[in-house]
Amino acid sequence: AQTAGRAALRLADADALPFAFGNFVDHVKRYAGEVQKLADDLRAETDRINQRVEDGVYALAADPTEHLVLPESREAVPHINFAPLLNAVEALEQQAAAFDRRLKASVSADGLPADQLAALNRVLIDSERALTAPEGLPRRPWFRHHIYAPGFFTGYGVKTLPGVREAIEERQWDEATAQIERLAGVLNNLASLLITKS
């Protein structure tokens, strides 16, 4: 309660909203690394399971008195092209660093003129909207944010980069590729906003 109260007071009294994009970019970079690792881990797990099926390990370990369905070979996990996402994160990182430098320099001076201050706050407000897409997420178009959203199977438990992450988890490779492209577009939108409005 104290943290939320102080944050509310800080935001209410700020001429320029005290947000920096560098921290956000650090989080997005970490999330991008997580989804890459998720794909790599899923590939390694699939290879192990398929090798055990091929070697007959599950059949040998099965209890003949029980009627169990033995695991079958799974479709191999392809190498997914994360380059559009990584390029978008890099572009955003550069623009965010430049924006944060300009913001710090202008705010640490004698303050900003009213029109520049309004434009700055407009960027900060529009930045969150730039992270959404009107078509929303697969199978739930009402969730439009592409960085954070409740998981499809987790109730209100958050998923980061939900379109990409859930496509990989569900082994929907074409959807994962499409979601990477869409996410890259969203991040490029934010980078463009930081260029044009700063």
Side-chain angles (χ1 to χ4, degrees):
Q2 287 180 343
T3 301
R6 287 183 182 172
L9 290 173
R10 175 68 177 94
L11 291 171
D13 289 340
D15 290 332
L17 296 172
F19 296 135
F21 289 99
N23 293 337
F24 171 74
V25 173
D26 290 343
H27 283 86
V28 173
K29 281 175 69 172
R30 189 176 83 231
Y31 302 151
E34 289 173 359
V35 294
Q36 284 183 287
K37 184 177 182 314
L38 176 64
D40 291 341
D41 290 349
L42 187 60
R43 185 177 306 104
E45 177 191 357
T46 300
D47 290 345
R48 278 192 306 272
I49 289 172
N50 288 348
Q51 187 62 51
R52 290 176 184 158
V53 168
E54 185 179 320
D55 293 343
V57 171
Y58 296 114
L60 289 172
D63 184 348
T65 63
E66 295 184 21
H67 300 289
L68 300 175
V69 177
L70 297 177
E72 297 179 356
S73 292
R74 296 182 178 178
E75 175 189 2
V77 176
H79 290 276
I80 300 169
N81 181 14
F82 287 98
L85 173 58
L86 300 177
N87 290 337
V89 169
E90 185 175 326
L92 179 59
E93 183 175 31
Q94 292 172 359
Q95 295 310 319
F99 183 88
D100 287 348
R101 281 192 302 272
R102 289 190 301 269
L103 174 63
K104 186 176 180 181
S106 61
V107 171
S108 64
D110 292 332
L112 292 173
D115 60 333
Q116 290 181 5
L117 189 60
L120 168 65
N121 284 328
R122 183 84 260 164
V123 169
L124 296 173
I125 290 167
D126 290 345
S127 64
E128 196 68 26
R129 294 177 183 154
L131 298 172
T132 64
E135 61 275 2
L137 295 173
R139 293 170 296 285
R140 52 207 167 122
W142 54 91
F143 287 119
R144 297 181 177 176
H145 204 286
H146 282 264
I147 307 299
Y148 309 104
F152 190 73
F153 296 109
T154 61
Y156 287 104
V158 72
K159 291 271 186 159
T160 55
L161 310 185
V164 176
R165 184 179 301 274
E166 291 178 340
I168 293 170
E169 289 172 347
E170 296 173 24
R171 305 173 75 88
Q172 301 293 322
W173 315 126
D174 291 339
E175 183 177 297
T177 300
Q179 288 300 309
I180 287 170
E181 293 284 346
R182 185 171 293 159
L183 177 58
V186 164
L187 294 175
N188 286 327
N189 287 344
L190 178 56
S192 297
L193 176 71
L194 296 182
I195 294 171
T196 59
K197 300 290 178 92
S198 58

